[in-house]
């Protein structure tokens, strides 16, 4: 089942074992190589604490109102998960990123993404911008398969994506 990534933001995280509200989703970590959601970023833990993460493979379910995890220990410090810590350090913005065609045309900016709730795989990017507003009435969806490069400054897509 596909869902928009923005619906995840501020969603409650509930532990099934403890039946307890653990925090809220504050962001997502994307793996640009597999084009999947690698982890969910939670609230800061304590007044001077750091953000913690839930690796996507530890998410039990994503519902309409909450993300469920097996138990509180499913949430960890990024430093305990080297791959996720690396992805967070090499932060490549997805939402708000500029999208160019390989021919050099600015198509717009990423406004949202559609992802598979079960696998975390990114299905498509929703982009908006002035060019699109005049041509496509505001938004267009670009399939993830059309993405050539997911870079630090821009996302490059095939010129003739379908």
């Amino acid at each position: 089942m596909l869902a928009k990534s923005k619906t995840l933001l501020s969603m409650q995280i509930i532990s099934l074992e403890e039946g307890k509200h653990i925090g809220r989703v504050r962001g997502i970590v994307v793996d640009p190589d597999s084009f999947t959601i690698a982890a969910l970023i939670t609230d800061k833990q304590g007044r001077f604490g750091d953000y913690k993460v839930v690796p996507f493979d530890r998410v039990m379910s994503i519902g309409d109102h909450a993300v469920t995890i097996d138990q509180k220990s499913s949430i960890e410090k990024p430093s305990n998960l080297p791959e996720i810590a690396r992805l967070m350090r090499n932060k490549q913005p997805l939402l708000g990123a500029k999208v160019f065609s390989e021919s050099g045309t600015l198509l717009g900016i990423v406004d949202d993404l559609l992802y598979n709730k079960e696998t975390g795989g990114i299905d498509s990017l929703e982009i908006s911008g002035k060019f699109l507003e005049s041509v496509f009435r505001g938004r267009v969806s670009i399939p993830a398969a059309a993405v050539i490069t997911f870079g630090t400054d821009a996302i490059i897509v095939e010129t003739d994506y379908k």
Side-chain angles (χ1 to χ4, degrees), residues 34-55:
S34 62
F35 222 53
T36 59
I37 296 175
L40 304 177
I41 301 171
T42 71
D43 298 310
K44 283 189 175 185
Q45 305 295 310
R47 186 176 200 153
F48 300 106
D50 291 327
Y51 290 100
K52 292 195 176 182
V53 296
V54 178

Side-chain angles (χ1 to χ4, degrees), residues 1 5 15 22 25 31 57 59 72 92 106 109 111 133 137 154:
M1 174 178 216
S5 66
S15 162
I22 305 299
V25 177
D31 183 339
D57 61 2
V59 170
K72 185 177 180 177
Q92 294 175 301
L106 175 62
I109 61 166
D111 188 50
E133 288 170 11
R137 295 193 177 99

Side-chain angles (χ1 to χ4, degrees), residues 11-130:
M11 198 176 272
Q12 293 185 64
I13 301 171
I14 304 290
S15 162
L16 295 175
E17 186 174 291
E18 293 94 0
K20 187 174 180 181
H21 169 89
I22 305 299
R24 291 192 178 273
V25 177
R26 296 298 178 201
I28 60 174
V29 179
V30 174
D31 183 339
D33 296 328
S34 62
F35 222 53
T36 59
I37 296 175
L40 304 177
I41 301 171
T42 71
D43 298 310
K44 283 189 175 185
Q45 305 295 310
R47 186 176 200 153
F48 300 106
D50 291 327
Y51 290 100
K52 292 195 176 182
V53 296
V54 178
F56 199 86
D57 61 2
R58 296 185 191 172
V59 170
M60 300 300 290
S61 182
I62 298 173
D64 293 335
H65 307 290
V67 173
T68 59
I69 58 175
D70 188 34
Q71 54 194 337
K72 185 177 180 177
S73 62
S74 296
I75 295 179
E76 292 199 46
K77 293 179 183 178
S79 58
N80 294 342
L81 304 161
E83 181 59 23
I84 291 174
R86 181 188 66 78
L87 291 170
M88 290 177 78
R89 271 192 311 277
N90 299 339
K91 195 174 186 179
Q92 294 175 301
L94 185 57
L95 296 178
K98 291 181 180 177
V99 179
F100 290 89
S101 69
E102 62 187 327
S103 63
T105 302
L106 175 62
L107 300 176
I109 61 166
V110 178
D111 188 50
D112 209 342
L113 57 93
L114 287 174
Y115 73 98
N116 182 307
K117 282 183 164 185
E118 294 170 10
T119 66
I122 296 171
D123 179 75
S124 58
L125 306 175
E126 272 193 3
I127 63 171
S128 62
K130 290 187 185 271

